[in-house]
Amino acid sequence: MMHHLLTELVLAVTPSPSPSPQFDENQVTPGPWGFVITFAIAGIVVFLVIDMVRRVRRVNYRAEIDERLQAEVAERDAARADDPDAPIAPGGESTDPLRKPDDPRR
């Protein structure tokens, strides 16, 4: 009899497994807000990439122009070293360190 009581007590305390509840697919998917947020992030990334490409291109153009200007200045200084009486271009400054500021050729 004791055994019968223990069995009933144990069976009463242990829950029987219930089938897993079915889930709603609409609650599992990100929904319209997930799409909107993903689309906004993708748009921001595209904008940042376009802006970065534009800035890198601008830096490259400036470096290329700077190299050309330095080459022109070096060429002009080399020509001036060969002919010190050559006139200085309008608006140009002499880069000769031996030439004095009060030099009339300036």
Side-chain angles (χ1 to χ4, degrees), residues 65-82 93 95-96:
I65 289 171
D66 191 38
E67 288 176 7
R68 287 182 188 174
L69 289 175
Q70 288 178 358
E72 287 178 11
V73 167
E75 183 180 322
R76 186 183 69 207
D77 288 346
R80 192 174 298 140
D82 293 341
E93 291 291 324
T95 58
D96 187 0

Side-chain angles (χ1 to χ4, degrees), residues 35-88:
F35 173 75
V36 169
I37 291 172
T38 303
F39 187 78
I41 290 173
I44 290 170
V45 168
V46 167
F47 171 74
L48 288 174
V49 167
I50 290 171
D51 187 55
M52 181 187 66
V53 167
R54 185 178 52 125
R55 289 174 188 268
V56 168
R57 189 176 295 146
R58 186 182 312 157
V59 167
N60 287 339
Y61 287 152
R62 286 181 181 175
E64 183 180 327
I65 289 171
D66 191 38
E67 288 176 7
R68 287 182 188 174
L69 289 175
Q70 288 178 358
E72 287 178 11
V73 167
E75 183 180 322
R76 186 183 69 207
D77 288 346
R80 192 174 298 140
D82 293 341
D83 185 16
D85 292 330
I88 297 175

